[in-house]
Amino acid sequence: MPVTTLIRRVLNRSNTLADSGDVAPLDRSDNAPVSPVPIASAIFNAADQDAGMATTARFTSNFPDSNPIYEAPTMTPADGDFTDSSSLDGSDIKMPIVEDGEKDAVEDLARLESQVAEQEQAIVQQGQPARNAGFLRSFSNVVCIIIGTGCLQIPYAFAKTGWIGVIIVVFSAFIGGYTGVLTIKCLYYQHGQRLHSFPQIGRAAFGRWGQYATQFFNYLYSLGTTCLYIILSGQFIYQLLSTLGVNISKKVWMIIVALIIWVPVAILKQMSEAAIMAIFGLLASVVVIAVATIMSIAQPYTKMYPNEPPPGDDIAIAIGIPVALSSIVFSYSGSVVYPHVEASMRKPKQWPNVVYTAMTFCAICYLLIGISGYWAYGDLVVSPVLDSIPTGAPATIAKVMITLHVIIAAPIMLLTFFLEVEEGWQINAERLGKKREFVVRLVYRSIVVALVCAVSLAIPYFADFLSLISSIACVTMFAILPIVCYLKLYGHKIAPWYEKIWMAVVLIIGIIASIWGSVDAIKSLIRDVQEGGS
């Protein structure tokens, strides 16, 4: 490769960095002509001294060889020299040809160019998770969060709505895929830049108050769902071990579960590190759904209690649809995780395929457990459905597996909250140093887990608490905020008329379900607390 070509490439990179303000420009005044001789000399000196360029900002573009700051000089070999007739200042510049030292110069320039490229790559990746997750890993992360404990209350939701709940499950799956795609589109609304979280989307769309509102719903969902996981795990462990003569209260088991969850919370730092946990969580959920479905078909209520009247079922129960809709929506909610999962994907363009495949898989699982559970136990089915199937080895296996899933999924759910807080507070090794960063991160994460455990101990009513969280936070994050933010960032003209109609339908349904479901859940929760205290 000619020396001048190497000089031109390094000059392009160096001056592009200088123009951005992140690297000190080469020594020249604003009006002075650019001469290849002193610039090349400066480059050689920098290479010989192994001087690193000080860069502090993140770049969002590559530095192509096109559009150079000056055209390469035309070389005309003649008696050991050449003439450049196209210099920037219009004057002729004579440059001697380097023969003996040309090889060393080429090596120096190549080395310097490599250093610049490495620094550019480091700047781009600074503070960002590694994009090394394939389709299966991303799919597992999404499904592990979505399918969790929500599947256990699908039959109970059918009991509230009747068989029309089947349509609601399919309808909600389509909404989940659509709003999941919109959420990631909002991250890229600025060309060449990417936002990192839902609160940043809220701030970009509606300013500071938009960020605060989004953070409220985002954190309520993340922390509230973790509370549900602790409640459910403590409940299942208590039921399993109390029959074996282990006299430990449910609240003590909830504290033990919180301590177990704390261990991976203290270790995990990025979403990509939770990939193995997500796959195991996915497998555990599949086992639970399979056991609940098979046991519901094999041991329906009429077979368990042949002398009792059969439970009832209905085609549609209009008054229960809003409440049940909020519960079903909770079963598809995972919006807070989407930005972090997409950020770890090796091929981000596959995100629509990932989210729609995940929603389809979850819909199939929900239909299996919902139809079988409602058919077997009708309006007498309870939430979670594992309390409706007969006791025995299958029920025990299912409860053990869902407990393992919850313990696995809780750290992943909390990790989304921690990553956003750490980014906002700049809790990183670059600013604090490795030791101090680890201590600060460990202390505040431990405090959060302790607070979540305290709330779980105060409100141990799984069904009512789930309905409340899903009505307030999940419906808002699932059906309302993605559409509102998308329209604000891109403008209403971005969507055709039929898509606008679809958006309006989703928004109306989401608002009704959120308000109606919240009121009903609060009434039920107050009633249960009063009855428990009496």
Side-chain angles (χ1 to χ4, degrees):
M1 179 181 296
V3 177
T4 52
T5 302
L6 283 172
I7 293 176
R8 179 171 57 83
R9 289 189 176 183
V10 176
L11 285 174
N12 292 339
R13 295 178 181 268
S14 301
N15 284 277
T16 305
L17 291 172
D19 291 339
S20 67
D22 297 301
V23 179
L26 294 175
D27 186 16
R28 62 182 177 91
S29 62
D30 294 336
N31 299 323
V34 181
S35 175
V37 176
I39 295 178
S41 176
I43 293 174
F44 289 131
N45 293 335
D48 292 336
Q49 296 171 7
D50 290 329
M53 294 186 178
T55 54
T56 58
R58 178 175 60 87
F59 287 85
T60 57
S61 63
N62 296 323
F63 296 86
D65 291 336
S66 59
N67 193 22
I69 61 171
Y70 73 102
E71 296 296 332
T74 304
M75 292 188 298
T76 306
D79 300 328
D81 62 5
F82 69 87
T83 301
D84 174 18
S85 59
S86 58
S87 58
L88 289 179
D89 59 350
S91 61
D92 294 338
I93 298 177
K94 302 277 287 183
M95 293 184 64
I97 293 181
V98 181
E99 296 180 353
D100 295 337
E102 183 173 348
K103 183 177 180 181
D104 293 337
V106 170
E107 293 176 355
D108 289 341
L109 281 171
R111 182 177 60 178
L112 182 58
E113 188 175 31
S114 176
Q115 290 175 355
V116 172
E118 291 175 0
Q119 289 169 356
E120 292 168 4
Q121 185 69 16
I123 294 168
V124 171
Q125 296 180 350
Q126 184 177 2
Q128 303 300 318
R131 284 192 175 273
N132 54 13
F135 185 93
L136 178 60
R137 187 190 299 182
S138 304
F139 170 83
S140 300
N141 280 330
V142 174
V143 173
C144 181
I145 292 297
I146 291 178
I147 208 169
T149 57
C151 66
L152 300 179
Q153 47 83 44
I154 295 296
Y156 179 75
F158 280 19
K160 291 283 188 180
T161 64
W163 287 110
I164 198 174
V166 174
I167 299 176
I168 297 176
V169 168
V170 177
F171 183 75
S172 299
F174 189 77
I175 294 177
Y178 176 72
T179 55
V181 173
L182 291 188
T183 299
I184 301 304
K185 284 184 177 180
C186 290
L187 296 177
Y188 292 94
Y189 87 100
Q190 285 185 332
H191 180 70
Q193 296 184 8
R194 182 189 184 276
L195 303 178
H196 303 298
S197 63
F198 230 117
Q200 289 188 358
I201 294 175
R203 186 178 185 87
F206 298 101
R208 182 177 59 182
W209 291 106
Q211 176 184 351
Y212 293 158
T214 308
Q215 283 177 329
F216 172 77
F217 294 114
N218 194 2
Y219 298 162
L220 179 63
Y221 170 71
S222 300
L223 301 179
T225 303
T226 305
C227 289
L228 295 179
Y229 287 167
I230 294 176
I231 294 171
L232 189 63
S233 297
Q235 176 180 327
F236 283 161
I237 295 176
Y238 174 78
Q239 292 174 352
L240 290 171
L241 298 183
S242 60
T243 58
L244 302 177
V246 179
N247 297 321
I248 299 179
S249 68
K250 185 188 302 183
K251 290 188 176 182
V252 173
W253 282 119
M254 290 166 63
I255 295 175
I256 295 174
V257 168
L259 291 174
I260 297 174
I261 291 173
W262 172 82
V263 175
V265 163
I267 296 175
L268 294 177
K269 191 174 181 180
Q270 297 292 342
M271 184 64 68
S272 58
E273 299 173 3
I276 301 300
M277 296 176 60
I279 293 176
F280 278 111
L282 170 61
L283 296 177
S285 297
V286 171
V287 171
V288 171
I289 292 172
V291 169
T293 301
I294 294 173
M295 290 302 299
S296 297
I297 296 174
Q299 296 289 333
Y301 185 88
T302 54
K303 188 173 182 179
M304 293 172 59
Y305 307 100
N307 298 325
E308 297 289 335
D313 62 329
D314 295 279
I315 299 298
I317 306 174
I319 194 171
I321 290 178
V323 178
L325 178 61
S326 63
S327 297
I328 294 174
V329 163
F330 173 81
S331 303
Y332 286 104
S333 295
S335 302
V336 297
V337 183
Y338 294 165
H340 304 286
V341 173
E342 191 271 346
S344 65
M345 291 182 61
R346 185 166 53 247
K347 298 179 180 179
K349 291 184 178 180
Q350 290 185 342
W351 170 252
N353 296 333
V354 169
V355 69
Y356 275 113
T357 303
M359 291 298 169
T360 302
F361 180 84
C362 291
I364 294 173
C365 293
Y366 293 161
L367 290 176
L368 287 174
I369 194 173
I371 292 173
S372 61
Y374 188 50
W375 172 82
Y377 308 111
D379 55 3
L380 299 178
V381 69
V382 297
S383 178
V385 69
L386 296 181
D387 289 342
S388 294
I389 66 176
T391 58
T396 300
I397 293 173
K399 290 181 178 180
V400 170
M401 296 303 292
I402 196 62
T403 302
L404 291 176
H405 167 83
V406 164
I407 294 175
I408 290 173
I412 300 177
M413 181 64 67
L414 283 175
L415 189 59
T416 62
F417 169 80
F418 292 140
L419 290 176
E420 294 177 10
V421 172
E422 289 165 12
E423 180 183 356
W425 292 357
Q426 294 184 352
I427 301 177
N428 52 59
E430 289 78 10
R431 190 175 74 91
L432 302 176
K434 290 185 178 180
K435 292 184 179 180
R436 187 180 178 188
E437 181 261 348
F438 174 78
V439 172
V440 172
R441 178 163 49 86
L442 180 63
V443 170
Y444 99 86
R445 287 189 178 189
S446 301
I447 293 175
V448 171
V449 173
L451 292 176
V452 168
C453 180
V455 174
S456 304
L457 294 172
I459 313 177
Y461 301 100
F462 177 75
D464 297 334
F465 195 42
L466 183 147
S467 297
L468 180 60
I469 295 297
S470 61
S471 299
I472 296 176
C474 296
V475 174
T476 304
M477 298 292 294
F478 178 81
I480 299 176
L481 285 180
I483 294 178
V484 173
C485 291
Y486 178 77
L487 291 176
K488 182 63 171 62
L489 293 174
Y490 285 93
H492 66 89
K493 294 182 179 180
I494 192 69
W497 64 268
Y498 53 86
E499 187 175 0
K500 292 178 184 176
I501 295 176
W502 166 247
M503 289 179 174
V505 171
V506 174
L507 288 175
I508 293 173
I509 292 175
I511 293 172
I512 294 175
S514 180
I515 296 175
W516 202 330
S518 298
V519 172
D520 185 82
I522 292 173
K523 289 180 179 179
S524 300
L525 189 59
I526 293 174
R527 182 176 61 251
D528 289 344
V529 171
Q530 291 175 345
E531 292 177 355
S534 60

